[in-house]
Amino acid sequence: MTVYFMCAVLLMMGLYCLVAKKNIVKKIIGIVIMDYAVNLYLITIGYKNNGVAPIIEKTTSPELLERFVDPLPQALVLTSIVIGLGTLSLMVSMVIRLYEKHGTFDMSQISKLRG
Amino acid sequence: MNPVPLYVAIPLGAAFLIPLLGMWWKKSGETLAVLSTLVLAVMAILAIGTPAMVHHMGGWTAPLGIALVSDGLTVLLLIAVNVIAFLCIIFSLKYMKVYTGLTKYYSLFMLMVAGMNGVVVSGDLFNLFVFLEVASIASYALVAFGVEADELEAGFKYMILGSVASVMILFAVGTVYAVTGTLNMADASREIATRFGGAEMNPALLLAAAFFLMGFGLKAALVPFHAWLPDAHPSAPAPISAMLSGVVIKSLGVYAMCRVMFHVFGFGTASPSSAIIANAMIGFSVLSIVVGGLLAIGQWDFKRLLAYSSIGQIGYVTLGIGVGARVLATGGTRSLAALAILGGLFHLINHAAFKSLLFLSSGAIQQATGTRDMKMLSGLRKRMPITAATTNLAALSISGVPPFSGFWSKLIIIVATIRAGLMGVAVVAIAMAFVTLAYYVKVQREILFGPVRGPAESAKEVSPLMYVPMIILAIVCVGFGLLYPVLGSRILEPARDALLNGAEYVKLVLG
């Protein structure tokens, strides 16, 4: 249970960073922290104390079967990391273009649109 | 052969072939995009009236493998997405000539279509998330396609908020998996129904539902999650604005929300937990209707006005669906819930038609006059008769003037809201319908009528490649209003029944 709370705290830290920081690079770091908090959360769902890799053989005993970890969240996290990488690279490239246009990373100086 | 996977495979294949062939063949983007969207649009229209279908990916049956499902609701969205994508591509052929890097544009466009079709046909929560990300990332890039300061800023804002939404949706998907032990929507809904059917839900599931509501609400730009939309939609090139306002916010936001709420969390049965979520949905809808409508009045940038109006109109769509869900959750009559949901879905497809038409018209006006500032435009009716006529039709339709389509869908939603006993909500909805009329009258007066002056003097009617898609959409707007009896029984009622009968969805997918 504590682990889940820690994930939630990490998620909120990322959200705080996103909302409070003016520097757009720091905002991106906030997004990445949020992303990793969720990845960590997914991993802990599948976590088991003393777990072993879930590879079934003919000789696998029922006791070992009990100790198998759930492989599905790990597959989800792999996919989510790849998606996160794609989003991150697009964000960083946009930040570079924004820097070229304005010469600053400060969102309050960049921002002209009223929302 | 089962056609369901083709809705994803065709645009995805085109998206990757376009830049590859583009190295040797300059016209690869235009040709492949027109061909593939035409095939998709024809496939979607032919799918009307076909029975519900499931495709099990790789031959693995439902709870184990990923299922692609096509039922009434899917067909409704597929028609909206693919027909509008085709018309927007035709419009792009001429409109996008002024931009460079067109192979990238068409490639991203097809990627966005693939993502939306994927979200719509997916029967698996995580698969839905993946396709949602595909469509979202493509749309972030397309909003910033002009790479000027405004476009980049709008794209960046959209991207930050979109990423927050994606994180929330992923968190909710993980929580549903932790509680039910499955990602298949039908399997998860069966599990939730057997464990909590009719009773208070597990707090973890309630949290997941709240996160889904926030995440999809952000994608659908419901107030208070709307801040990105008025920047992102006007900054994109006109065909992309038409896609974003016309179908992206609906397939990624409203559709995904409905599918998850009805077919995973079991909105179809009376329970205190679904009443909470349904009330939250109604609250967000009312806020959207009011905030979107009031902010639209003060806008002088034509595309920005349309963007705010999208927020208000999407509020009507979710209001219809939310009222239906509330009636079911509190044990009301099924026919009343069916009426409310029908109204919501009808407004969804109507809004897809007239809002994309309005955005395409704004693109035509911007290209002909070089501005979208309503203070500088005047008298376009004399210079651009076709564009003016289509804009007029769309404006009449969206502001709910009978006998155009927008009138009937708003009428159904408001009647259902009154019969559900939500008088206050209904009064707000009616009042804001008049506000919608007010700001579209402003559009007509400022842009279309009046003396010809300023940039309008040198304006000429746009090329047929641009106005033909607009005329087709205008015919659709009128047709939806007049041909409701035909349209309703063939498209809308199957969609409504698919949404209402969660048990049938489970049977369909799990066999």
Side-chain angles (χ1 to χ4, degrees):
Chain A
M1 204 60 196
T2 336
V3 189
Y4 294 144
F5 275 116
M6 296 308 280
C7 289
V9 168
L10 196 60
L11 189 75
M12 289 306 137
M13 276 167 68
L15 195 59
Y16 171 78
C17 176
L18 177 67
V19 176
K21 295 291 168 190
K22 277 187 178 158
N23 189 319
I24 46 180
V25 178
K26 287 182 182 165
K27 278 183 191 288
I28 291 182
I29 294 173
I31 288 277
V32 173
I33 292 173
M34 284 177 79
D35 208 14
Y36 276 59
V38 173
N39 286 347
L40 209 60
Y41 171 67
L42 289 177
I43 281 288
T44 48
I45 290 170
Y47 177 78
K48 229 177 215 180
N49 242 342
N50 255 333
V52 292
I55 302 164
I56 294 191
E57 288 176 72
K58 279 191 184 122
T59 52
T60 307
S61 61
E63 297 86 68
L64 197 61
L65 214 59
E66 281 287 298
R67 283 172 55 204
F68 276 179
V69 293
D70 185 352
L72 203 113
Q74 299 173 12
L76 301 191
V77 167
L78 277 181
T79 318
S80 145
I81 288 173
V82 174
I83 293 173
L85 178 73
T87 325
L88 178 63
S89 51
L90 183 59
M91 274 196 247
V92 171
S93 58
M94 260 191 215
V95 165
I96 293 171
R97 297 302 281 267
L98 274 173
Y99 185 76
E100 282 171 4
K101 292 274 178 224
H102 299 275
T104 173
F105 286 124
D106 190 340
M107 195 66 196
S108 56
Q109 285 178 34
I110 291 170
S111 189
K112 281 199 303 262
L113 300 173
R114 282 160 299 145
Chain B
M1 199 205 139
N2 194 329
V4 180
L6 291 179
Y7 288 112
V8 185
I10 292 174
L12 207 57
F16 286 102
L17 274 178
I18 286 168
L20 202 64
L21 295 178
M23 287 194 275
W24 304 284
W25 178 28
K26 279 237 163 72
K27 290 272 169 201
S28 71
E30 285 91 334
T31 322
L32 280 179
V34 169
L35 280 179
S36 46
T37 47
L38 178 63
V39 170
L40 285 169
V42 170
M43 271 171 65
I45 291 171
L46 289 180
I48 298 173
T50 53
M53 281 181 281
V54 186
H55 175 81
H56 299 286
M57 294 285 280
W60 295 89
T61 46
L64 292 180
I66 291 171
L68 299 183
V69 190
S70 157
D71 60 6
L73 183 61
T74 310
V75 170
L76 177 81
L77 263 290
L78 283 176
I79 293 170
V81 170
N82 293 308
V83 170
I84 287 171
F86 172 63
L87 296 174
C88 287
I89 285 280
I90 299 286
F91 187 88
S92 304
L93 293 178
K94 186 86 178 92
Y95 182 84
M96 294 301 291
K97 278 263 156 53
V98 293
Y99 290 81
T100 54
L102 284 183
T103 46
K104 294 187 194 81
Y105 169 80
Y106 288 107
S107 176
L108 284 168
F109 193 106
M110 293 318 292
L111 209 55
M112 187 166 82
V113 173
M116 280 191 284
N117 282 346
V119 166
V120 172
V121 298
S122 176
D124 179 279
L125 278 173
F126 191 73
N127 199 30
L128 186 143
F129 167 76
V130 171
F131 280 124
L132 189 111
E133 280 295 82
V134 170
S136 305
I137 295 176
S139 62
Y140 306 147
L142 283 170
V143 165
F145 195 76
V147 292
E148 289 302 318
D150 277 3
E151 279 99 336
L152 283 169
E153 189 201 327
F156 186 74
K157 269 187 191 166
Y158 179 25
M159 186 156 196
I160 291 285
L161 287 171
S163 305
V164 173
S166 303
V167 165
M168 285 172 171
I169 293 165
L170 184 60
F171 181 88
V173 168
T175 310
V176 169
Y177 178 74
V179 175
T180 63
T182 177
L183 285 170
N184 185 288
M185 288 192 222
D187 205 20
S189 90
R190 194 171 58 179
E191 181 74 20
I192 290 175
T194 47
R195 273 168 63 184
F196 311 105
E200 190 90 27
M201 252 184 236
N202 186 330
L205 273 182
L206 220 50
L207 179 73
F211 267 72
F212 270 131
L213 200 62
M214 267 195 280
F216 292 136
L218 245 164
K219 296 277 182 197
L222 288 177
V223 176
F225 313 118
H226 68 289
W228 58 273
L229 188 142
D231 292 341
H233 287 196
S235 300
I240 298 304
S241 314
M243 284 296 282
L244 287 174
S245 255
V247 288
V248 172
I249 52 176
K250 300 192 184 69
S251 56
L252 304 190
V254 177
Y255 165 84
M257 192 191 286
C258 295
R259 184 64 99 189
V260 168
M261 292 304 171
F262 278 86
H263 288 165
V264 177
F265 291 97
F267 263 18
T269 50
S271 100
S273 309
S274 31
I276 298 174
I277 306 168
N279 281 336
M281 233 167 127
I282 295 175
F284 289 146
S285 311
V286 173
L287 268 179
S288 303
I289 293 172
V290 173
V291 173
L294 292 181
L295 287 177
I297 300 178
Q299 300 302 320
W300 285 99
D301 177 339
F302 187 25
K303 283 180 95 174
R304 223 176 157 75
L305 182 144
L306 294 179
Y308 277 111
S309 142
S310 277
I311 297 174
Q313 301 303 315
I314 214 81
Y316 278 100
V317 176
T318 48
L319 177 66
I321 291 159
V323 167
R326 184 177 188 272
V327 169
L328 286 173
T330 50
T333 54
R334 219 172 163 71
S335 61
L336 176 56
L339 183 72
I341 290 172
L342 185 82
L345 293 175
F346 191 23
H347 201 62
L348 184 152
I349 195 155
N350 283 340
H351 184 250
F354 44 60
K355 190 48 68 64
S356 27
L357 173 53
L358 280 167
F359 267 115
L360 291 184
S361 305
S362 78
I365 291 171
Q366 193 179 0
Q367 194 148 73
T369 62
T371 180
R372 51 184 210 227
D373 185 347
M374 287 164 62
K375 282 177 183 154
M376 291 170 69
L377 294 167
S378 177
L380 283 179
R381 195 170 51 123
K382 300 196 182 76
R383 289 284 181 268
M384 302 170 73
I386 298 173
T387 309
T390 57
T391 313
N392 241 332
L393 266 176
L396 288 175
S397 204
I398 196 170
S399 44
V401 175
F404 298 104
S405 54
F407 171 72
W408 301 110
S409 47
K410 279 184 191 168
L411 185 72
I412 296 175
I413 293 169
I414 289 167
V415 165
T417 313
I418 293 173
R419 282 185 52 199
L422 299 164
M423 283 312 286
V425 176
V427 168
V428 171
I430 294 168
M432 293 314 290
F434 285 108
V435 172
T436 315
L437 183 64
Y439 60 74
Y440 280 105
V441 166
K442 171 178 160 184
V443 168
Q444 285 181 330
R445 210 189 53 213
E446 296 293 330
I447 299 185
L448 305 176
F449 298 112
V452 179
R453 61 174 162 79
E457 274 169 19
S458 56
K460 280 196 217 54
E461 186 55 79
V462 288
S463 92
L465 273 178
M466 280 162 74
Y467 71 64
V468 168
M470 284 152 53
I471 292 175
I472 296 174
L473 279 170
I475 293 170
V476 169
C477 283
V478 181
F480 276 0
L482 299 178
L483 299 176
Y484 174 72
V486 186
L487 181 86
S489 60
R490 297 299 298 275
I491 309 176
L492 290 171
E493 282 168 20
R496 176 200 66 190
D497 295 340
L499 204 54
L500 278 172
N501 295 329
E504 236 162 67
Y505 180 78
V506 173
K507 215 190 291 168
L508 173 72
V509 177
L510 298 179

